[in-house]
Every structure is written in structure tokens, then in C-alpha cells.
Amino acid sequence: MESRNPATNEQIGTYEKDTDEDVEAALSRSMDAFEEWRERPIREREELLANAAGVLRENKRRYAELMTKEMGKPISQAIGEVEKCAWACDHYAEYASAYLGGEHHPSPPGTEVATVHDPLGPVLAVMPWNFPFWQVIRFAAPYLTAGNVGLLKHASNVPGCALALEEVFREAGYPDGVFQTLLIGSGKVDDVLSDDRVRAATLTGSGPAGRAVAETAGKHLKKTVLELGGSDPFIVLDDADLDAAVETGVQARTQNGGQSCIAAKRFIVHEAVYDEYVERLVEAFEALTIGDPMDEATDIGPQADPELMAELHDQVQQSVDAGATVLTGGEPLDHEGAYYPPTVLTDVPAGCPADNEETFGPVAAVYKVADEAQAIEKANDTRFGLGASLWTEDRKRGQRLARDIEAGCIYINEMVKSDPRVPFGGIKDAGYGRELSEAGIKEFVNRKTVWTQ
């Protein structure tokens, strides 16, 4: 397993994959660790999680540079990602006890009935490369603190990040086996998930990967949480604050090089403001700084992999061949590394890749609509349902329309984001289940009813 810098194509590390014997030993350790870990008072588990937040903050520059080298994220955004991970640890260190407290229910006189929350056991996490620290911490912080133990199968292009995350928990004082990284390929996931010692799984990734995990988990009756991507609408109505909608729209589409499940991908703009909005969006895209991701001034670094960039460009080219118009960008840059420019497409035909597929890069498809009814119809014209952003100066109008949008989270006058304080997840082909907040920590627990007569 090797790690390459997508900005230079330089090999920066090689790692030995875990053998079948290594995986067996890890599974055995996870069960041994679980038997002890589940008995730890939750206050002690919260204290260790607070320690993990400290480890993240103490090493944030080193971890950020590792992310940037392995998958090309601009360094300022990588530092922000580590800080966000520490915040999530802080959140569950403070609130896990409250989230998992017993729930009391009405019962006959003289009886007591409560729901208690017991951990399930080893949880397999199959995680992507685009937010290599955040995706893992948002699984580990709640599920470990609930008393489960974790087995991480990270993306194969970020093995250094995977091992660094193991280091975070080790340095924080977690017992051996509570959090382990498995350096295995995707072909080994089915075997690990099928093992009786693994009790549940969470995956963030592609639809085919999610379906494969769901199929195996279903065969063995194991709980899963899946986050499978999106084609999020960014709806700009006629009464929107255009200054804010342009500024946030650019960030929502191009952050992390556009490689985000919850990125704004389809810009749906009311005809009354369409021309002005598109002109300003193009100007803002062209003003972004593309370059060395290690430079603090860089807005757009390389795509994480040359092959992924080629797939993105193929989607753009097919869309142009179908009739879409390129207003800016649209061709890989003549630059060492996998650089693709921020791109704006208009006149996007129904059914072309930019319209009905997830474009995982800085490509915005823009649509003109006549009214709010058309805007909602277009927003829902997708097999995905992860998030949506809606822009209007009338908050009540926004809240009313939010009820009609088919997505797991709607942000009015804000970009879609994950936040440890609120549930996160999608519907339709974007997956199922929720991460973060109280809802997230309760996904992988046994909600056990205890009736005392």
C-alpha cells in the first residue's frame, strides 16, 4: 500500500498491508478490549476522549501536513479539519453521559421502567479519503464513548492518516485494542464484516461500496449506518442576499477541491436574479487561487488522484457534448499534479452526468427556474437526498419550502455542513442512519428496556 502526493505525484510512503493473521489478531484484541472497555464508567471514557482532543490540538500542524501530502487538501483547510475533530471530541466528552442517560417510561404503580443504552461490541468503520481525519473522528468519538470498540478500514490512499488516528487514541491513553487500524484492501471488508465478532458497521463512500456492505450486514443481521454521497442543490430565490449567496456558494462548491459529499453541486437560481448571480459566481470562481496546497494562500489544491480527476473531466466533457455550456474552467490545468479548475456549467441538459451523477470536484451545474415550485421540483430531481441549501431573505418562506425538499438536512441561508451538535445523514441513495449529536451516539447501542416490578 503506497501513499502519493497528488500535487507532485511523488511517492511519500509505503506501508505493508495487514495479513490474514494480522486481521485475526486485531479481531481477537478487539473482543478482549471490549470486555474491559464496556465496564469502564462513562465518565472515564469521556475523560479519555477529552485527552484525544488535546492530542489532536497538540499535533494539528503535523496531522494537517500529513493530510495535505496524502490527498491534496489545502493546508489551511487541513488545519481546520483537525480543529473540528478536537471540537467533536470536546462535545462528546461533555455530553455523552447526558445523551446516554436512562430514559424512564410510564408504568403501573410500584414499578419502574427505563431504557438503558448498552454498547454492541466491535464496530467496523469503512472510511473515505476526502476528510481523512473528520470522517473517522465523527464515528469514533461517539461510538467509543458509548462503550463500543472500533476497527478502521481507511481509504487505501491515506494509510499515513489511518495510522496517525490510531496514534491519537493511543497517546490519549485508550487501552490496547479499543481503536485499531486495519491496513487492508476493499476486497477484505466482506470477510471482516462477516466475522461474528464484528457487531455493526458504518461506511461513508460510494453507492456500490455501501450496497456491498449493506448486503453483507443484512445477511448477518448487523446494524449499519451508510453515508453514500449526494448531489446537493443550492437554491437561490428571487429575494436572496446575493452577496452572501455568492460568497457561500463558492465555498460550498470548492472547499476541499469540491471533493465533498455535501458540497453544493447543482445551483438552482430564480430567473429574476439568474444573470447577476451567474456573472458573480463565475467572477468569484476565477478569483480563487490554485496552487501548492502547502501554501496558506491556496484556495484550490490538486484533486486527490489523477484517475479521479480524469473521471471528473469525463463527466464534464460528456455534459458539454450533450449541450452544456462552459462559462469558466472545463479543462485540466497544464500543471504538475492533478489540478482541475473551478468550473461553471450552464444550459445543463437533463440526464447528462453533471445533472444526474455526483460530480466529485469543483464543478457547478447552474439551472434557471421561473418560481419556487420549479426550484423545489429541480432540487428533488435526483436519486440522492443528503443535504440542501436554500437562500431567501424571508425566513418563514425558507422554513416552509424546506419541508418540501427531499434531503436529510436543509440549511437556510447557510452552507450544508456537519456539526457535532446536530444529526447528520441522508435519505434515498444518499444512505440511511444518522451520525453526530444524540441521534448519532445511539445508532450503535442496545436500547434495552428494563422493567423492575
Side-chain angles (χ1 to χ4, degrees), residues 24-208:
E24 168 59 31
L27 289 167
S28 180
R29 278 194 301 273
S30 73
M31 283 303 297
D32 292 342
F34 176 60
E35 293 307 316
E36 185 273 335
W37 182 244
R38 68 185 302 176
E39 300 301 328
R40 283 278 190 107
I42 191 168
R43 291 294 188 187
E44 292 185 15
R45 297 199 294 260
E46 289 173 327
E47 289 173 4
L48 288 171
L49 189 60
N51 292 348
V55 174
L56 286 161
R57 291 190 174 99
E58 290 166 11
N59 297 280
K60 68 178 180 182
R61 183 76 195 192
R62 176 163 64 89
Y63 293 151
E65 289 181 354
L66 177 58
M67 268 191 272
T68 297
K69 289 176 182 176
E70 286 202 318
M71 53 73 60
K73 185 188 305 287
I75 188 65
S76 59
Q77 296 176 28
I79 291 170
E81 181 171 335
V82 180
E83 291 171 342
K84 185 174 183 178
C85 290
W87 174 34
C89 291
D90 289 341
H91 178 80
Y92 281 106
E94 183 174 358
Y95 292 105
S97 294
Y99 288 157
L100 295 175
E103 301 170 5
H104 293 270
H105 308 289
S107 62
T111 66
E112 182 180 343
V113 181
T115 296
V116 297
H117 304 96
D118 291 344
L120 298 181
V123 177
L124 173 66
V126 181
M127 293 289 112
W129 48 263
N130 57 331
F131 291 90
F133 270 66
W134 171 243
Q135 301 280 9
V136 175
I137 291 297
R138 81 182 192 194
F139 126 75
Y143 299 156
L144 299 188
T145 310
N148 298 297
V149 299
L151 294 160
L152 170 64
K153 187 282 178 216
H154 217 326
S156 296
N157 60 331
V158 289
C161 291
L163 294 174
L165 285 154
E166 193 174 62
E167 172 192 281
V168 169
F169 292 100
R170 183 173 62 250
E171 293 298 315
Y174 280 70
D176 183 47
V178 170
F179 181 92
Q180 299 179 82
T181 286
L182 304 178
L183 291 182
I184 58 175
S186 298
K188 295 286 187 180
V189 169
D190 192 75
D191 290 340
V192 175
L193 183 53
S194 298
D195 192 285
D196 289 341
R197 289 165 289 191
V198 174
R199 303 294 169 81
T202 179
L203 176 142
T204 298
S206 69

Side-chain angles (χ1 to χ4, degrees), residues 283-427:
E283 289 176 356
F285 268 35
E286 291 177 344
L288 293 170
T289 300
I290 305 170
D292 181 359
M294 283 295 186
D295 187 334
E296 297 277 356
T298 293
D299 299 310
I300 304 288
Q303 301 295 281
D305 181 271
E307 291 185 7
L308 294 173
M309 184 187 73
E311 291 176 15
L312 175 68
H313 182 55
D314 185 58
Q315 289 176 305
V316 170
Q317 193 59 57
Q318 287 186 49
S319 300
V320 171
D321 291 345
T325 301
V326 178
L327 297 188
T328 189
E331 291 286 343
L333 296 178
D334 184 13
H335 196 298
E336 182 181 21
Y339 284 87
Y340 203 83
T343 297
V344 175
L345 301 178
T346 58
D347 308 314
V348 180
C352 74
D355 178 64
N356 69 2
E357 297 177 7
E358 180 176 26
T359 50
F360 218 61
V363 176
V366 188
Y367 304 83
K368 182 192 291 188
V369 293
D371 52 34
E372 63 183 37
Q374 280 191 11
I376 299 303
E377 181 181 10
K378 186 60 190 176
N380 292 337
D381 184 23
T382 174
R383 69 181 190 275
F384 298 104
L386 187 52
S389 183
L390 175 66
W391 290 78
T392 172
E393 288 284 75
D394 184 340
R395 292 166 62 117
K396 290 190 179 299
R397 181 190 191 191
Q399 291 167 350
R400 171 175 58 83
L401 294 175
R403 298 295 301 272
D404 296 326
I405 299 174
E406 298 168 356
C409 45
I410 316 296
Y411 282 73
I412 300 169
N413 299 326
E414 178 60 282
M415 65 185 285
V416 179
K417 55 189 176 182
S418 54
D419 182 312
R421 299 168 295 187
V422 296
F424 177 84
I427 60 172

